[in-house]
């Protein structure tokens, strides 16, 4: 690299590469190790069998400071405005790597592509900034956009406890000098139980859990504890404003059921679209969990069934995309947006995302647990209340396991609806299909007897109470009657202290009605005729999200056990204080 650091890079060149038969580079940069190491040892999988048969020069690189690469590793390294010739970030490391490869690896055709899923997706995005002339195509897949707003570690400032704790237990181990990976590198915490809910509840406040289990030996986890607000530390790690001067064609990929990085691909697509006029930029969103489009069929997840193996659609499109831009293959059948419509179970093509023809609407919370597109008629400040107890938080899933859950993103929510600390609002059975397409926004009028609170808004698709055609013979055969199932479509938590500013948290005034408004990630979902649209509101979602003490303290991560308190929360629904979910409605094909 330009500062003298050497990055370990494994290059797999086709045996028949020659001056008369040249291949393009296809590169992945990763913090997860390019093992196995050694000139006579080979990865079992480079990208996929189809990519390997097509033929590329595959490049796998340990990013700076990880495994066999020199230098210091920095999590989601901030992008720099370069002041000197030796200033480095992930864009310069990518540029310098491609400069070296094109000049030193025989049999290359002078073109390169990049792809990666999750953290490697972040490096694909970063590598496209001020990109090397050889870089012609990139595919950031489930890329990190902003670790405070919506990816991996936080949701609107609410801390993703289970994921962050489990991930950094192994990933955050110090690595003072280059070394190959080993089993010890991936050894995490001994939970002593398969019940994550019980483990994290007994672990106490985060500062106590960190001291007990990590003993101060996980430096980035300590940074999380030290930076509870959206200060310069987190702002510098937001890559989205820096996604500029991208000349390569872009194919962003994400999954609607990705618990780690659903915000990232949607925000990455929008940022590249807005900041790079003239750049070919497309997005594919499918019914997938994190990276599931490469490793699973994509036909089912949790309690949802998508009708067919959806992943092959993306895999074929990816190969066609890189063949076209790197090998002059035919133009891929790639629209601006290829998005899976859950409920109707089909992919749809759009010339913009969200679709231009989608219209705004609002689903209003009503009296007696009703939900309607019509605003409330009552003029008095009516409300619904519940007692939120941090010692008995609402679980986010019924699954058992210490690794973070993935199926909960499409899990039946009836277990939550039966709790007294979850409010539920249900529409009448729909008289026709209703398709929501694009971003959502929650706007709830609330109050609390405490001085802080989280608010979780969930959008749910409820099946009819009795499934047509289901017989006792089906039951005897072990089939599941899905009658009345409430499948989660989208859920979003918000840390109420950030309602005015992520940078400057503010306590609630006890008993004072207050508007809380926050963005909810996009959907393309059809609620079928006869189904109900359901919204649930709650204040705990554990252990996916850490517990809010409900007493305002400067740093929740350093809260003491005595700071945790029960509180009565109210959600208002009137003409003056209408609580609602703003949606974008796609007209039916016959309208």
């Amino acid at each position: 690299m330009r500062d003298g650091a050497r990055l370990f890079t494994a290059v797999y060149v086709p045996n028949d590469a020659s001056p008369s038969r040249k291949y393009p580079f296809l590169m992945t940069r990763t913090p997860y190790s390019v093992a196995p190491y050694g000139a006579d040892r080979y990865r079992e999988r480079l990208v996929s069998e189809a990519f390997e048969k097509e033929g590329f020069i595959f490049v796998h690189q340990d990013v700076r400071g990880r495994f066999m690469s020199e230098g210091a590793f920095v999590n989601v390294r901030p992008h720099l405005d370069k002041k000197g010739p030796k200033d480095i970030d992930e864009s310069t490391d990518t540029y310098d790597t491609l400069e070296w490869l094109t000049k030193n690896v025989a049999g290359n055709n002078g073109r390169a592509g990049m792809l990666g899923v999750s953290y490697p997706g972040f490096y694909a995005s970063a590598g496209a900034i001020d990109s090397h002339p050889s870089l012609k195509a990139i595919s950031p897949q489930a890329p990190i956009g902003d670790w405070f707003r919506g990816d991996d570690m936080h949701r609107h400032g609410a801390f993703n406890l289970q994921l962050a704790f489990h991930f950094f237990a192994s990933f955050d181990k110090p690595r003072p000098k280059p070394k190959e990976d080993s089993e010890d590198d991936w050894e995490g915490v001994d939970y002593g139980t398969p019940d994550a809910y019980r483990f994290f509840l007994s672990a106490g406040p985060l500062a106590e859990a960190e001291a007990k289990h990590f003993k101060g030996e996980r430096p980035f986890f300590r940074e999380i504890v030290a930076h509870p607000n959206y200060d310069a530390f987190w702002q510098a790690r937001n890559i989205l404003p820096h996604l500029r001067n991208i000349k390569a064609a872009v194919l962003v990929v994400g999954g609607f059921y990705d618990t780690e990085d659903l915000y990232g691909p949607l925000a990455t697509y929008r940022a590249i679209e807005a900041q790079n006029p003239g750049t070919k930029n497309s997005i594919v969103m499918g019914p997938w969990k994190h990276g599931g489009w490469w490793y699973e069929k994509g036909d089912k997840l949790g309690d949802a069934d998508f009708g067919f193996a959806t992943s092959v659609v993306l895999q074929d499109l990816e190969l066609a995309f890189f063949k076209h831009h790197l090998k002059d293959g035919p133009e891929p059948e790639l629209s601006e947006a290829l998005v899976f419509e859950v409920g109707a179970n089909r992919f749809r093509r759009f010339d913009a995302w969200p679709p231009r023809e989608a219209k705004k609407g609002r689903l209003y919370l009503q009296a007696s647990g009703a939900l309607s597109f019509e605003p409330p008629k009552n003029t008095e400040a009516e409300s619904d209340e519940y007692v939120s107890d941090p010692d008995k938080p609402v679980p986010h899933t019924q699954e058992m396991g210490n690794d973070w859950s993935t199926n909960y993103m499409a899990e039946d929510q009836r277990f939550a609806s039966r709790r007294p600390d979850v409010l539920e609002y249900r529409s009448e059975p729909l008289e026709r299909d209703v398709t929501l397409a694009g971003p959502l926004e929650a706007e709830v009028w609330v109050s609390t007897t405490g001085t802080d609170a989280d608010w979780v808004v969930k959008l749910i698709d409820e099946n009819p109470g009795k499934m047509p055609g289901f017989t006792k013979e089906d039951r005897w055969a072990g089939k599941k009657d899905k009658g009345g199932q409430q499948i989660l479509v989208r859920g979003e938590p918000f840390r109420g202290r950030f309602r005015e500013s992520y940078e400057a948290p503010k306590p609630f005034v006890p008993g004072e009605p207050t508007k809380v408004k926050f963005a909810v990630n996009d959907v393309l979902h059809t609620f079928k005729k006869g189904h109900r649209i359901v919204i649930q509101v709650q204040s705990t979602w554990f252990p996916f999200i850490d517990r809010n003490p409900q007493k305002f303290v400067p740093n929740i991560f350093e809260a003491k056990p005595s700071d945790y308190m029960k509180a009565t929360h109210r959600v208002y629904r009137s003409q003056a204080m209408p609580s609602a979910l703003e949606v974008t409605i796609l007209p039916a094909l016959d309208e």
Side-chain angles (χ1 to χ4, degrees), residues 367-386:
S368 303
L371 184 71
S372 170
F373 283 106
E374 299 297 323
K377 295 183 170 55
N378 55 295
T379 56
E380 287 140 15
E382 296 181 4
S383 64
D384 301 306
E385 69 175 40
Y386 58 95

Side-chain angles (χ1 to χ4, degrees), residues 11-24 39-40 42 46 52-58 105-108:
V11 184
Y12 295 80
V13 183
N15 288 325
D16 61 354
S18 68
S20 61
R21 187 173 179 82
K22 297 183 178 182
Y23 291 91
D40 58 347
Y42 297 83
L46 293 170
E52 291 151 23
K53 287 182 177 180
E54 174 60 32
F56 297 87
I57 299 174
F58 295 98
V105 176
N108 80 81

Side-chain angles (χ1 to χ4, degrees), residues 27-72:
M27 181 164 71
T28 298
R29 305 184 66 237
T30 180
Y32 299 129
S33 171
V34 303
Y37 298 93
D40 58 347
R41 302 177 68 197
Y42 297 83
R43 295 174 66 93
E44 293 183 4
R45 178 188 177 110
L46 293 170
V47 175
S48 72
E49 184 178 352
F51 273 82
E52 291 151 23
K53 287 182 177 180
E54 174 60 32
F56 297 87
I57 299 174
F58 295 98
V59 178
H60 293 260
Q61 183 179 78
D62 286 338
V63 297
R64 183 180 291 256
R66 292 293 289 175
F67 297 97
M68 291 296 287
S69 284
E70 297 175 351

Side-chain angles (χ1 to χ4, degrees), residues 189 202 368 474:
V189 170
S202 62
S368 303
D474 292 328

